[in-house]
Amino acid sequence: MTSRVRRVWGTVRARLRAFRDIYEGLYVAPYRSQIYRAYLEERDLFLLSGFSDLMGAPSPVLFYTLELYPELIEQFHQWHLRMGMPRAPEGGFRCC
Amino acid sequence: MSADASVVFDRAVLFLGGKGGVGKTTLAAAIAWRAAREGQRTLLVSTDPAHSTADVLGRTLGPEPTPVSPNLWVMEIDPTLEADRYIAEVKRQIAEVTPPRLVAEVERQIDIARVSPGAEDAALFDRFTRLIDQLGNPYERIVIDTAPLGHTLRLLALPEHMAAWIGGLIGRRRKVTALSRMWRRVAGAAAAASVREEDPVLATLEERRARFHRTRAVITDRQRTGFVFVLVPERLSLLETQRAVQTVAKHGIPVRALVVNRVTPEPTVGARFERRRQLEQECLQTIRTTLAEYPVFQVPLLEIDNGGPATLDRIASHLLRS
């Protein structure tokens, strides 16, 4: 009995998933890249406002945020690549 | 304004501040010594780079609390040492998680931070917030002999400013986290793997801010904290104290009392010393009228030089007798 219930539930779930995929394809997909772009922009803003020393401008809380470096340098690297700079800007953090 | 000395100096966190050379270190040691003798677990902290506390107690001290007598621990915070320690710790953490190709560059960046202005203040302050967290366990009393005034005032203003700045960063970071969550929801399985659920950056920032808030809550609480100004009965000392009292109060730190140290006692011999005594009395009068809202205590000019427990006991008796 229970195995049958499970089987039916499995089918229902598969259908629901298919429905969700169609829904996403129709309504969500067009915004996907926009949301991703917004996410990246916000992340960059955080990086550059809070960790301006990466750009060579002193940050007043630099000393309190040093331990965040490992989390952020990779993002910094991605940022300058995305901004069309194959090398890190002069004066700041030289990741490449 | 008069008050009972044993009540005035009994705050859990007691700062002693004043111009250099007025006797802060000795008075702080005397107060801590007395508190410890009365059975309270007391930590005497010196943030003065001159490290006179070691000289007062006649023994070497370090950056860790050293027991010097029953219930009394003493430590000297050295900003340079604290900054170096913090840097070393960060480098160790970083070596574990940074891609190898970036380690050298990250270390270079961190070394720049080490020599940047404010680094040592920040390290000193960070250590200070951790000490305040130890209030109650294990220490019942923390007596802080502060560095000369300007420096101390900046240090005390830090929790306010840093908490605000880090608060701003946290707000921004929360937006990043919210958007990343939104992105994950629409992107399906592809993005789920690339974005982590918990945000270590946010967690670190929030820990910092929470600690700054706790420190700020303690040092602005008049039930737990008091700032005591030490001065000598001379014009310059008085003028600086008048200004400093305003600043400390403005930062919300409760000013508890003024201690006028090295007051020339009666009787004096000769016209020169009598004149001097009169000037001091006039100065005391000005202190009482211009800073009328604070209790004023006096410690006379003694015939002993600083030298160990017996001296401290005597000074404490003078201070706490009133």
Side-chain angles (χ1 to χ4, degrees):
Chain A
M1 183 63 194
T2 42
S3 69
R4 180 143 178 254
V5 170
R6 207 171 290 144
R7 208 163 49 236
V8 171
W9 175 234
T11 319
V12 170
R13 270 181 49 177
R15 297 274 154 77
L16 280 173
R17 209 175 298 133
F19 178 75
R20 196 194 65 191
D21 287 349
I22 293 167
Y23 169 83
E24 276 193 5
L26 283 174
Y27 296 100
V28 179
Y31 304 110
R32 206 177 269 172
S33 64
Q34 282 179 26
I35 290 175
Y36 190 58
R37 210 172 302 132
Y39 162 59
L40 289 181
E41 270 171 19
E42 200 57 56
R43 211 178 69 174
D44 292 347
L45 200 59
F46 172 79
L47 187 68
L48 300 179
S49 63
F51 302 85
S52 56
D53 56 294
L54 290 172
M55 300 287 296
S59 151
V61 290
L62 171 60
F63 211 76
Y64 296 97
T65 49
L66 277 184
E67 70 259 42
L68 301 178
Y69 259 75
E71 292 296 331
L72 297 166
I73 44 170
E74 194 54 40
Q75 288 179 20
F76 178 73
H77 177 61
Q78 290 171 17
W79 169 80
H80 78 73
L81 288 183
R82 232 178 315 115
M83 294 299 126
M85 291 177 269
R87 302 191 148 268
E90 200 60 41
F93 183 72
R94 299 176 301 200
C95 54
C96 52
Chain B
M1 187 178 161
S2 68
D4 182 359
S6 56
V7 177
V8 168
F9 298 109
D10 74 346
R11 300 294 98 158
V13 179
L14 199 65
F15 289 95
L16 277 92
K19 224 166 149 57
V22 295
K24 293 184 294 289
T25 304
T26 306
L27 288 170
I31 290 171
W33 180 266
R34 183 53 73 90
R37 260 200 23 195
E38 284 167 1
Q40 293 171 302
R41 289 190 305 278
T42 305
L43 175 66
L44 172 62
V45 184
S46 163
T47 61
D48 194 335
H51 291 331
S52 309
T53 306
D55 300 335
V56 167
L57 295 169
R59 50 179 301 167
T60 42
L61 301 165
E64 296 302 326
T66 314
V68 298
S69 71
N71 292 321
L72 182 62
W73 289 262
V74 186
M75 66 186 287
E76 290 179 328
I77 305 183
D78 182 342
T80 309
L81 211 69
E82 292 302 324
D84 288 342
R85 186 147 71 168
Y86 177 59
I87 292 286
E89 170 64 17
V90 170
K91 279 189 177 168
R92 196 188 55 74
Q93 284 174 12
I94 280 174
E96 287 169 13
V97 288
T98 309
R101 72 187 162 89
L102 289 178
V103 168
E105 179 55 20
V106 170
E107 290 206 345
R108 190 190 73 100
Q109 196 75 10
I110 288 170
D111 288 333
I112 292 173
R114 173 63 187 84
V115 296
S116 70
E120 296 192 350
D121 279 355
L124 179 61
F125 175 66
D126 208 64
R127 184 67 196 272
F128 178 69
T129 60
R130 287 173 208 277
L131 276 180
I132 294 291
D133 268 357
Q134 288 185 294
L135 192 60
N137 179 35
Y139 307 112
E140 293 165 283
R141 300 276 307 268
I142 300 182
V143 179
I144 302 140
D145 166 27
T146 66
L149 271 175
H151 189 262
T152 306
L153 296 179
R154 217 167 52 239
L155 192 70
L156 294 175
L158 267 171
E160 233 176 327
H161 299 152
M162 290 297 115
W165 185 281
I166 290 190
L169 270 184
I170 288 175
R172 193 140 266 162
R173 189 67 192 180
R174 287 229 175 93
K175 258 190 216 164
V176 177
T177 318
L179 277 166
S180 115
R181 203 170 289 140
M182 198 187 281
W183 153 245
R184 228 173 324 145
R185 216 170 286 138
V186 299
S194 69
V195 190
R196 272 176 296 170
E197 179 59 53
E198 89 291 359
D199 183 353
V201 174
L202 195 56
T204 307
L205 288 174
E206 279 178 338
E207 189 275 331
R208 274 272 145 99
R209 183 170 67 162
R211 189 146 43 81
F212 289 178
H213 273 308
R214 285 198 300 276
T215 300
R216 176 106 190 114
V218 171
I219 68 173
T220 55
D221 177 1
R222 50 181 59 251
Q223 296 305 318
R224 285 183 287 181
T225 299
F227 200 108
V228 172
F229 279 97
V230 182
L231 64 164
V232 289
E234 288 172 7
R235 192 170 148 267
L236 292 189
S237 189
L238 165 66
L239 293 177
E240 179 164 334
T241 305
Q242 284 171 335
R243 282 191 297 269
V245 165
Q246 305 292 325
T247 318
V248 167
K250 195 185 81 193
H251 288 301
I253 295 150
V255 176
R256 196 76 185 146
L258 308 171
V259 176
V260 186
N261 197 16
R262 297 198 205 115
V263 180
T264 307
E266 283 186 288
T268 54
V269 176
R272 178 191 297 242
F273 289 108
E274 183 51 29
R275 177 70 193 127
R276 167 98 207 162
R277 197 187 66 79
Q278 281 167 12
L279 280 176
E280 289 181 5
Q281 290 303 315
E282 283 165 27
C283 188
L284 269 164
Q285 202 46 50
T286 317
I287 293 170
R288 289 211 184 85
T289 48
T290 56
L291 296 163
E293 61 267 55
Y294 308 110
V296 177
F297 297 92
Q298 292 183 40
V299 176
L301 182 67
L302 299 172
E303 78 289 0
I304 44 169
D305 193 6
N306 213 318
T311 330
L312 293 182
D313 253 345
R314 215 175 131 196
I315 294 165
S317 313
H318 276 292
L319 182 60
L320 303 174
R321 185 178 52 188
S322 350

